[in-house]
Amino acid sequence: MKVNMIFRGVALLLCIMCPAHCLLEQNTQTKNEMKDVLLESGATHSTAIEELRKQIGEIVKELNALKEVHALQLVCLKGIKVPGKCFLASPVKKNFYDATDDCILQGGSLGTPVTGNENYQLYVYVHEMIGPKEQIWLGINDMLKEGEWVDKSGSRIRFQNWETEVTRQPVGGRSQNCAFMSVIDSGKWFDENCRAVKAFVCEFNIV
């Protein structure tokens, strides 16, 4: 009698365990299938993102090309053309930072003559377009290291036209980290506090 009861108990336990085991095995298989689907979906998603990045890169290139066309067709007609670039004056006076931002928004940068000929042409242009006593910001500064004047790219400038005979520029020290061209001083450069307001000229690189 006791043996029969034990036998029945084992049989009942097997009946209970078998469905549970089958269910567990089926659940594991389902999870693995879902994992495979997610991995495949993730790979597809990464490919789509990479393709989108490529398309954005192409759009940026086209935008830069359009900026060059804009500079050539519009700016050069309004301003003055020198080899490799155009200058366009702005009589609205701003501080160095706002003038810099204004030029960038137009697709250019703050005027920075890199040769004596460029400096002279910029001086003549400002004299005629803005006035014989004007001062304009130049796209150079020594904010990072006192006495080390750099252009918009952070490269040290090679050409310089400081006024050195009378005031021996630059002389402002840490309080004057930006530079301007003085028309009344025949295009000579002076250092100045960057918060001062002056006229400015944007330059646009062209082919």
Side-chain angles (χ1 to χ4, degrees):
M1 184 70 174
K2 191 174 181 179
V3 173
N4 288 337
M5 289 178 67
I6 293 173
F7 179 77
R8 288 178 181 176
V10 171
L12 180 62
L13 183 61
L14 287 173
C15 288
I16 293 172
M17 289 182 65
C18 270
H21 176 71
C22 292
L23 183 62
L24 179 62
E25 189 174 312
Q26 184 179 2
N27 189 36
T28 302
Q29 183 179 357
T30 303
K31 285 184 177 179
N32 288 335
E33 290 176 354
M34 289 179 65
K35 186 176 180 181
D36 292 339
V37 170
L38 288 173
L39 288 173
E40 183 178 350
S41 176
T44 304
H45 185 62
S46 298
T47 302
I49 290 177
E50 187 61 32
E51 182 62 28
L52 185 59
R53 284 176 178 169
K54 289 181 180 179
Q55 291 178 8
I56 291 174
E58 292 299 320
I59 291 173
V60 170
K61 288 181 181 179
E62 291 178 7
L63 181 60
N64 289 334
L66 287 174
K67 284 182 178 180
E68 290 182 2
V69 172
H70 168 76
L72 181 60
Q73 294 181 346
L74 299 179
V75 177
C76 292
L77 294 176
K78 298 177 182 178
I80 182 175
K81 184 178 179 181
V82 298
K85 67 175 67 172
C86 292
F87 290 123
L88 180 62
S90 174
V92 180
K93 296 183 179 181
K94 298 183 178 183
N95 64 44
F96 176 84
Y97 308 104
D98 290 341
T100 299
D101 291 343
D102 190 293
C103 289
I104 292 174
L105 286 173
Q106 295 183 59
S109 57
L110 206 54
T112 309
V114 295
T115 65
N117 180 56
E118 272 191 23
N119 195 83
Y120 175 75
Q121 291 195 56
L122 180 58
Y123 151 68
V124 172
Y125 173 60
V126 174
H127 184 282
E128 295 176 352
M129 295 300 298
I130 304 180
K133 297 181 180 181
E134 275 297 343
Q135 300 172 347
I136 61 162
W137 285 120
L138 297 174
I140 61 172
N141 68 83
D142 69 341
M143 297 179 191
L144 293 180
K145 185 177 180 181
E146 179 61 30
E148 188 172 299
W149 292 86
V150 298
D151 60 19
K152 61 182 179 181
S153 68
S155 302
R156 296 187 67 172
I157 58 172
R158 297 181 179 180
F159 171 75
Q160 302 179 38
N161 195 44
W162 300 106
E163 196 293 302
T164 56
E165 295 182 5
V166 180
T167 58
R168 298 188 180 278
Q169 298 290 318
V171 295
R174 296 187 180 277
S175 64
Q176 299 183 354
N177 295 319
C178 296
F180 70 88
M181 172 191 285
S182 173
V183 178
I184 199 172
D185 292 288
S186 302
K188 292 293 184 179
W189 299 0
F190 297 77
D191 58 356
E192 174 66 283
N193 188 298
C194 302
R195 294 293 179 186
V197 292
K198 299 183 184 297
F200 59 97
V201 171
C202 300
E203 67 176 35
F204 303 83
N205 294 329
I206 58 174
V207 180

mmCIF file of all heavy atoms in Angstrom, residues 177-201:
data_model
loop_
_atom_site.group_PDB
_atom_site.id
_atom_site.type_symbol
_atom_site.label_atom_id
_atom_site.label_comp_id
_atom_site.label_asym_id
_atom_site.label_seq_id
_atom_site.Cartn_x
_atom_site.Cartn_y
_atom_site.Cartn_z
ATOM 1 N N ASN A 177 43.620 93.271 -25.739
ATOM 2 C CA ASN A 177 43.970 92.022 -26.413
ATOM 3 C C ASN A 177 43.469 91.914 -27.850
ATOM 4 O O ASN A 177 43.570 90.849 -28.456
ATOM 5 C CB ASN A 177 43.430 90.837 -25.608
ATOM 6 C CG ASN A 177 44.094 90.721 -24.247
ATOM 7 O OD1 ASN A 177 45.291 90.908 -24.122
ATOM 8 N ND2 ASN A 177 43.309 90.411 -23.231
ATOM 9 N N CYS A 178 42.885 92.987 -28.365
ATOM 10 C CA CYS A 178 42.419 92.982 -29.758
ATOM 11 C C CYS A 178 43.120 94.104 -30.515
ATOM 12 O O CYS A 178 43.709 95.000 -29.913
ATOM 13 C CB CYS A 178 40.893 93.158 -29.808
ATOM 14 S SG CYS A 178 40.003 91.778 -29.045
ATOM 15 N N ALA A 179 43.050 94.040 -31.845
ATOM 16 C CA ALA A 179 43.777 95.013 -32.661
ATOM 17 C C ALA A 179 42.858 95.698 -33.662
ATOM 18 O O ALA A 179 41.878 95.117 -34.112
ATOM 19 C CB ALA A 179 44.919 94.323 -33.409
ATOM 20 N N PHE A 180 43.193 96.943 -33.987
ATOM 21 C CA PHE A 180 42.447 97.668 -35.001
ATOM 22 C C PHE A 180 43.395 98.391 -35.946
ATOM 23 O O PHE A 180 44.557 98.651 -35.611
ATOM 24 C CB PHE A 180 41.461 98.663 -34.364
ATOM 25 C CG PHE A 180 42.116 99.849 -33.684
ATOM 26 C CD1 PHE A 180 42.419 101.006 -34.396
ATOM 27 C CD2 PHE A 180 42.396 99.820 -32.321
ATOM 28 C CE1 PHE A 180 43.001 102.105 -33.781
ATOM 29 C CE2 PHE A 180 42.980 100.913 -31.694
ATOM 30 C CZ PHE A 180 43.282 102.051 -32.421
ATOM 31 N N MET A 181 42.876 98.701 -37.116
ATOM 32 C CA MET A 181 43.619 99.504 -38.087
ATOM 33 C C MET A 181 43.124 100.936 -38.005
ATOM 34 O O MET A 181 41.920 101.182 -37.958
ATOM 35 C CB MET A 181 43.408 98.972 -39.510
ATOM 36 C CG MET A 181 43.993 99.886 -40.595
ATOM 37 S SD MET A 181 43.486 99.437 -42.288
ATOM 38 C CE MET A 181 44.494 97.983 -42.543
ATOM 39 N N SER A 182 44.046 101.882 -37.986
ATOM 40 C CA SER A 182 43.696 103.298 -37.954
ATOM 41 C C SER A 182 43.902 103.911 -39.337
ATOM 42 O O SER A 182 45.009 103.897 -39.878
ATOM 43 C CB SER A 182 44.569 104.040 -36.928
ATOM 44 O OG SER A 182 44.350 105.436 -37.010
ATOM 45 N N VAL A 183 42.811 104.432 -39.908
ATOM 46 C CA VAL A 183 42.895 105.034 -41.238
ATOM 47 C C VAL A 183 43.684 106.333 -41.197
ATOM 48 O O VAL A 183 44.493 106.612 -42.094
ATOM 49 C CB VAL A 183 41.474 105.284 -41.802
ATOM 50 C CG1 VAL A 183 41.551 105.947 -43.167
ATOM 51 C CG2 VAL A 183 40.713 103.961 -41.905
ATOM 52 N N ILE A 184 43.455 107.130 -40.160
ATOM 53 C CA ILE A 184 44.150 108.414 -40.060
ATOM 54 C C ILE A 184 45.654 108.221 -39.892
ATOM 55 O O ILE A 184 46.450 109.125 -40.160
ATOM 56 C CB ILE A 184 43.574 109.249 -38.881
ATOM 57 C CG1 ILE A 184 43.949 110.726 -39.062
ATOM 58 C CG2 ILE A 184 44.065 108.722 -37.540
ATOM 59 C CD1 ILE A 184 43.262 111.641 -38.069
ATOM 60 N N ASP A 185 46.047 107.017 -39.472
ATOM 61 C CA ASP A 185 47.473 106.700 -39.327
ATOM 62 C C ASP A 185 47.960 105.835 -40.484
ATOM 63 O O ASP A 185 48.875 105.014 -40.326
ATOM 64 C CB ASP A 185 47.723 105.980 -38.002
ATOM 65 C CG ASP A 185 47.509 106.892 -36.805
ATOM 66 O OD1 ASP A 185 48.340 107.786 -36.589
ATOM 67 O OD2 ASP A 185 46.492 106.720 -36.095
ATOM 68 N N SER A 186 47.344 106.008 -41.620
ATOM 69 C CA SER A 186 47.764 105.353 -42.871
ATOM 70 C C SER A 186 47.757 103.824 -42.799
ATOM 71 O O SER A 186 48.616 103.157 -43.383
ATOM 72 C CB SER A 186 49.156 105.844 -43.284
ATOM 73 O OG SER A 186 49.159 107.247 -43.446
ATOM 74 N N GLY A 187 46.796 103.278 -42.067
ATOM 75 C CA GLY A 187 46.655 101.827 -42.031
ATOM 76 C C GLY A 187 47.502 101.129 -40.991
ATOM 77 O O GLY A 187 47.616 99.893 -41.011
ATOM 78 N N LYS A 188 48.065 101.877 -40.053
ATOM 79 C CA LYS A 188 48.856 101.265 -38.988
ATOM 80 C C LYS A 188 47.950 100.583 -37.966
ATOM 81 O O LYS A 188 46.787 100.920 -37.821
ATOM 82 C CB LYS A 188 49.721 102.318 -38.293
ATOM 83 C CG LYS A 188 50.830 102.895 -39.169
ATOM 84 C CD LYS A 188 51.877 101.820 -39.491
ATOM 85 C CE LYS A 188 53.044 102.406 -40.288
ATOM 86 N NZ LYS A 188 54.070 101.375 -40.586
ATOM 87 N N TRP A 189 48.519 99.610 -37.227
ATOM 88 C CA TRP A 189 47.766 98.822 -36.270
ATOM 89 C C TRP A 189 48.019 99.293 -34.836
ATOM 90 O O TRP A 189 49.129 99.727 -34.496
ATOM 91 C CB TRP A 189 48.148 97.351 -36.345
ATOM 92 C CG TRP A 189 47.891 96.688 -37.658
ATOM 93 C CD1 TRP A 189 47.363 97.256 -38.791
ATOM 94 C CD2 TRP A 189 48.172 95.332 -37.985
ATOM 95 N NE1 TRP A 189 47.282 96.327 -39.795
ATOM 96 C CE2 TRP A 189 47.765 95.137 -39.339
ATOM 97 C CE3 TRP A 189 48.711 94.263 -37.292
ATOM 98 C CZ2 TRP A 189 47.910 93.912 -39.980
ATOM 99 C CZ3 TRP A 189 48.841 93.038 -37.927
ATOM 100 C CH2 TRP A 189 48.439 92.866 -39.268
ATOM 101 N N PHE A 190 46.974 99.165 -34.014
ATOM 102 C CA PHE A 190 47.047 99.487 -32.594
ATOM 103 C C PHE A 190 46.310 98.399 -31.807
ATOM 104 O O PHE A 190 45.359 97.811 -32.315
ATOM 105 C CB PHE A 190 46.378 100.841 -32.302
ATOM 106 C CG PHE A 190 47.042 102.019 -32.961
ATOM 107 C CD1 PHE A 190 46.857 102.266 -34.312
ATOM 108 C CD2 PHE A 190 47.847 102.885 -32.222
ATOM 109 C CE1 PHE A 190 47.452 103.358 -34.932
ATOM 110 C CE2 PHE A 190 48.460 103.976 -32.833
ATOM 111 C CZ PHE A 190 48.268 104.220 -34.190
ATOM 112 N N ASP A 191 46.750 98.170 -30.565
ATOM 113 C CA ASP A 191 45.974 97.239 -29.742
ATOM 114 C C ASP A 191 44.922 98.021 -28.963
ATOM 115 O O ASP A 191 45.034 99.226 -28.772
ATOM 116 C CB ASP A 191 46.874 96.406 -28.813
ATOM 117 C CG ASP A 191 47.709 97.251 -27.875
ATOM 118 O OD1 ASP A 191 47.669 98.489 -27.969
ATOM 119 O OD2 ASP A 191 48.404 96.669 -27.020
ATOM 120 N N GLU A 192 43.867 97.304 -28.533
ATOM 121 C CA GLU A 192 42.720 97.977 -27.931
ATOM 122 C C GLU A 192 41.945 96.993 -27.063
ATOM 123 O O GLU A 192 42.038 95.767 -27.237
ATOM 124 C CB GLU A 192 41.819 98.513 -29.054
ATOM 125 C CG GLU A 192 40.507 99.124 -28.616
ATOM 126 C CD GLU A 192 40.683 100.399 -27.812
ATOM 127 O OE1 GLU A 192 41.032 100.267 -26.624
ATOM 128 O OE2 GLU A 192 40.485 101.498 -28.372
ATOM 129 N N ASN A 193 41.181 97.515 -26.115
ATOM 130 C CA ASN A 193 40.273 96.691 -25.320
ATOM 131 C C ASN A 193 39.207 96.108 -26.251
ATOM 132 O O ASN A 193 38.590 96.841 -27.029
ATOM 133 C CB ASN A 193 39.618 97.540 -24.221
ATOM 134 C CG ASN A 193 38.809 96.694 -23.257
ATOM 135 O OD1 ASN A 193 37.838 96.051 -23.634
ATOM 136 N ND2 ASN A 193 39.208 96.707 -21.993
ATOM 137 N N CYS A 194 38.969 94.822 -26.141
ATOM 138 C CA CYS A 194 38.056 94.136 -27.056
ATOM 139 C C CYS A 194 36.609 94.586 -26.910
ATOM 140 O O CYS A 194 35.777 94.329 -27.792
ATOM 141 C CB CYS A 194 38.135 92.627 -26.851
ATOM 142 S SG CYS A 194 39.792 91.946 -27.097
ATOM 143 N N ARG A 195 36.282 95.258 -25.799
ATOM 144 C CA ARG A 195 34.910 95.719 -25.568
ATOM 145 C C ARG A 195 34.630 97.080 -26.197
ATOM 146 O O ARG A 195 33.484 97.530 -26.224
ATOM 147 C CB ARG A 195 34.622 95.786 -24.066
ATOM 148 C CG ARG A 195 34.623 94.424 -23.380
ATOM 149 C CD ARG A 195 33.463 93.584 -23.845
ATOM 150 N NE ARG A 195 33.438 92.253 -23.231
ATOM 151 C CZ ARG A 195 32.586 91.310 -23.564
ATOM 152 N NH1 ARG A 195 31.688 91.521 -24.522
ATOM 153 N NH2 ARG A 195 32.621 90.118 -22.974
ATOM 154 N N ALA A 196 35.657 97.723 -26.707
ATOM 155 C CA ALA A 196 35.449 99.008 -27.381
ATOM 156 C C ALA A 196 34.639 98.770 -28.653
ATOM 157 O O ALA A 196 34.619 97.660 -29.196
ATOM 158 C CB ALA A 196 36.792 99.643 -27.725
ATOM 159 N N VAL A 197 33.943 99.797 -29.124
ATOM 160 C CA VAL A 197 33.134 99.653 -30.342
ATOM 161 C C VAL A 197 33.798 100.371 -31.513
ATOM 162 O O VAL A 197 34.246 101.507 -31.375
ATOM 163 C CB VAL A 197 31.695 100.171 -30.132
ATOM 164 C CG1 VAL A 197 30.947 99.274 -29.179
ATOM 165 C CG2 VAL A 197 31.689 101.604 -29.605
ATOM 166 N N LYS A 198 33.854 99.680 -32.639
ATOM 167 C CA LYS A 198 34.478 100.236 -33.839
ATOM 168 C C LYS A 198 33.784 99.680 -35.079
ATOM 169 O O LYS A 198 33.061 98.679 -35.012
ATOM 170 C CB LYS A 198 35.967 99.872 -33.884
ATOM 171 C CG LYS A 198 36.766 100.410 -32.692
ATOM 172 C CD LYS A 198 38.233 100.083 -32.838
ATOM 173 C CE LYS A 198 38.990 100.537 -31.584
ATOM 174 N NZ LYS A 198 38.918 102.008 -31.408
ATOM 175 N N ALA A 199 34.039 100.328 -36.205
ATOM 176 C CA ALA A 199 33.577 99.786 -37.479
ATOM 177 C C ALA A 199 34.407 98.542 -37.786
ATOM 178 O O ALA A 199 35.414 98.270 -37.114
ATOM 179 C CB ALA A 199 33.725 100.824 -38.582
ATOM 180 N N PHE A 200 34.013 97.793 -38.790
ATOM 181 C CA PHE A 200 34.777 96.589 -39.116
ATOM 182 C C PHE A 200 34.569 96.209 -40.577
ATOM 183 O O PHE A 200 33.653 96.702 -41.248
ATOM 184 C CB PHE A 200 34.399 95.423 -38.205
ATOM 185 C CG PHE A 200 32.950 95.030 -38.264
ATOM 186 C CD1 PHE A 200 32.519 93.975 -39.059
ATOM 187 C CD2 PHE A 200 31.995 95.722 -37.516
ATOM 188 C CE1 PHE A 200 31.188 93.613 -39.108
ATOM 189 C CE2 PHE A 200 30.655 95.359 -37.554
ATOM 190 C CZ PHE A 200 30.239 94.312 -38.352
ATOM 191 N N VAL A 201 35.425 95.346 -41.050
ATOM 192 C CA VAL A 201 35.363 94.838 -42.423
ATOM 193 C C VAL A 201 35.424 93.316 -42.386
ATOM 194 O O VAL A 201 36.288 92.737 -41.723
ATOM 195 C CB VAL A 201 36.541 95.393 -43.277
ATOM 196 C CG1 VAL A 201 36.582 94.693 -44.633
ATOM 197 C CG2 VAL A 201 36.407 96.899 -43.448
#
